[in-house]
Each structure stands twice: as structure tokens, then as C-alpha cells.
Amino acid sequence: MPSDTTRRKRQLGRFMESIRKRHEPAMLPEALADAVETSRATISRMENGLQVPNKHLFIAILGALGANTEERFEALLLWTHAKQSTVRIEHATDFPPEYVAFRRDETQALAELTIDYTTLPGLLQTADYARAVADASRLLGGHDSAWSERAGEERAARQRLLLGEDPLRLHALVSEAALHLRVGGPEVMAEQFEHLLAMVELENVTFQVVPFRAGAFGPMSGPLVILEFDNDAESPYSVYLEYPTGGKTVEREPDVSSFTTLFGAVRELAVSEEETVHLVRTELEKIGN
């Protein structure tokens, strides 16, 4: 998914497509483009959530579609939100466009639910831990020698979402395996565990370990992130699935519903927050001995 898309742009695009298809008779994209003297590509990019037309053109589109008063009000509200949804992402050009689009969506979310199998979730990683993870995959992405440093800075910038007056709520489920993998070596892990213990003290952060005894859980194919929003009653969630060279945002309601149900099932397998803290402290003590 191209880097200039955002959830709000996609919401606007879906709404405008629905108005076009309700037009009597149904108006094809090329006919709409001719009616407002723009290109077919401009209409397509708008409906696909890749571009927000300027206000003059947008009002002309609404006029050509014969949008009623209610549709105009909703469309202009969505247009305003979409225009405001551009967020600067640290070192955006270093990351796959799908990940950058997810990061922009993340800034609009109220809550984030995550499942991770081998590493701690990005929102809870220290910069050194993030650098070690990035360095391990540097050759896969063809990055230069400074890649891991930039990745660490990106993680640090991302964690600001958990702080402030109206912070993102995070509920992270992590395999016990992630506590045993010594990413970056003992010193990095000691700092990481101390940071983790500090972060779980935040009221908006819930961190739970899924123990080895639980066996296989979830998709077992890579980390997943569920974002929860309040600005779209019809689709309050989206899912981001990550793989080594990119990722994919899922917004189709039946699929999203399956993932939210899955998260609930995995949560039932996790130990309590208190026991999780005990497990983290135990691993930290092992490093010190």
C-alpha cells in the first residue's frame, strides 16, 4: 500500500465511491472525470485513498454526482479529516510503504492490540534493542550500514504515542520465547527489561506473556497489530500483518472480526500482568548473575 495513503483518506475514498455508484444512472469513473474536467487517474486515486482533491475540485465532484445535503456534509467532514491526516514519520523513506501507511494510521488510533512471537513489540522496544533487531535483518532489506541507527531512532519516536495527555492504549501479548532471546546481548537485554518494567507501570500499557505451556497460538506466522479507532462506527478496527520485507493492512470487516476474536482467544492463554512482571524480573536477574 503506497506510503501516502492513510485510513482517513481510504474512508473518504470509499464514501465517494459509494456516492458515485448510487448515482442514477451509475456513473463510471471516466464519466465523472469528464464531468469535472479532471483525469480518470485523479478519480481513481481519490477512491483508492491515495489522494485528496483540492476543495474546489472536490465540491465540483459532489455537484456532478448530485450529492444530497446529508452526503455533502459527511463528505466534507471526511475531506477535512483526510487533509489533516498527514503525519511526519521518522526516516519514512527507509521503511516499506506499507509500514509507513500503518504508522500514519497508528497515530489516529485510540488503542493498539499486538501479538508477537520472537521479539518484543515495537512500542516497548528500547533504541538499542530496535537497532539489534534491525541489524539482524539489514541484508534482507539491502540497507546501508547506518540502517540500524535510523531504525532505533524511528522506534524511539514512535513510542511518544504512549506518552502525553491522551496516550495510545496498548495491550501487548508476547510469547515467552521473546523473553529468552538475548537480542543485542546481555547489556542490551538488561536495559530492555528495565525499560519494559517501567513501561508496564503506565496505566495505558498492558503487557502479558503467553507461556510455553500454552503451545501454538494465533497465526504463528508473524506479528500482528490491531488498531482501534473511534472515527468510523462501521469499521472501528484495522489489522496490520507484518512480514520480513513489508506488511499488509486488512480492513475487510469479516477478516478484521476474525483477528479481534483471535486476539481475545490468545489473551485467555496469557498469564496475568503480575505473573508477567515476575517472569521479566526473573530474566533480568539471570542476566545480572
Side-chain angles (χ1 to χ4, degrees):
M1 191 172 292
S3 61
D4 56 354
T5 186
T6 66
R7 179 181 174 82
R8 290 181 175 180
K9 287 182 182 179
R10 295 192 295 274
Q11 288 175 326
L12 174 64
R14 288 194 296 267
F15 186 74
M16 294 304 294
E17 182 182 24
S18 71
I19 295 179
R20 177 177 62 77
K21 290 183 175 179
R22 287 201 302 269
H23 186 278
E24 293 295 341
M27 184 179 284
L28 294 175
E30 49 266 35
L32 176 57
D34 289 342
V36 296
E37 298 182 349
T38 191
S39 68
R40 167 70 172 79
T42 296
I43 300 301
S44 176
R45 288 179 63 80
M46 176 189 70
E47 293 188 354
N48 288 324
L50 301 174
Q51 178 178 324
V52 180
N54 64 53
K55 195 166 188 178
H56 177 78
L57 175 58
F58 189 67
I59 291 174
I61 291 171
L62 290 172
L65 292 174
N68 59 37
T69 301
E70 183 178 345
E71 289 171 334
R72 282 175 174 267
F73 177 83
E74 180 68 15
L76 286 169
L77 183 62
L78 289 171
W79 180 88
T80 300
H81 287 165
K83 291 291 283 186
Q84 296 172 342
S85 65
T86 300
V87 178
R88 181 179 180 275
I89 304 301
E90 194 81 16
H91 301 302
T93 56
D94 290 319
F95 295 93
E98 298 87 354
Y99 176 75
V100 176
F102 155 72
R103 281 291 316 280
R104 289 191 170 126
D105 290 347
E106 185 181 48
T107 65
Q108 306 297 328
L110 286 178
E112 182 166 322
L113 314 175
T114 65
I115 298 178
D116 288 89
Y117 294 93
T118 57
T119 61
L120 298 171
L123 281 172
L124 298 178
Q125 294 177 4
T126 64
D128 284 341
Y129 184 99
R131 291 185 190 102
V133 171
D135 193 53
S137 61
R138 181 168 61 86
L139 295 179
L140 181 62
H143 298 289
D144 60 31
S145 58
W147 154 245
S148 59
E149 184 65 29
R150 297 194 297 273
E153 292 172 356
E154 185 271 340
R155 281 292 188 268
R158 184 183 172 198
Q159 287 185 25
R160 297 186 192 121
L161 293 173
L162 295 176
L163 308 172
E165 295 182 0
D166 189 22
L168 178 72
R169 299 194 310 273
L170 172 67
H171 192 153
L173 303 177
V174 178
S175 169
E176 187 177 350
L179 301 185
H180 293 273
L181 190 63
R182 296 298 187 243
V183 175
E187 291 185 4
V188 170
M189 285 306 300
E191 180 189 25
Q192 175 62 70
F193 286 141
E194 290 171 351
H195 175 73
L196 189 56
L197 291 170
M199 294 298 286
V200 298
E201 291 294 321
L202 297 175
E203 292 185 0
N204 57 307
V205 174
T206 301
F207 178 75
Q208 291 178 274
V209 166
V210 181
F212 285 135
R213 63 177 178 272
F217 62 92
M220 298 298 293
S221 57
L224 70 88
V225 178
I226 301 171
L227 296 178
E228 179 182 351
F229 306 87
D230 71 342
N231 61 344
D232 186 351
E234 294 184 359
S235 56
Y237 298 95
S238 72
V239 178
Y240 179 70
L241 304 174
E242 190 173 289
Y243 49 86
T245 57
K248 177 179 176 60
T249 292
V250 178
E251 293 181 304
R252 183 173 172 271
E253 196 283 327
D255 296 329
V256 170
S257 180
S258 294
F259 281 111
T260 56
T261 299
L262 175 83
F263 182 87
V266 175
R267 182 178 56 204
E268 293 300 313
L269 299 174
V271 300
S272 68
E273 294 177 70
E274 293 75 14
E275 187 172 348
T276 292
V277 167
H278 175 71
L279 289 172
V280 174
R281 290 190 185 281
T282 298
E283 290 304 311
L284 179 57
E285 290 171 2
K286 288 179 182 178
I287 294 174
N289 293 332

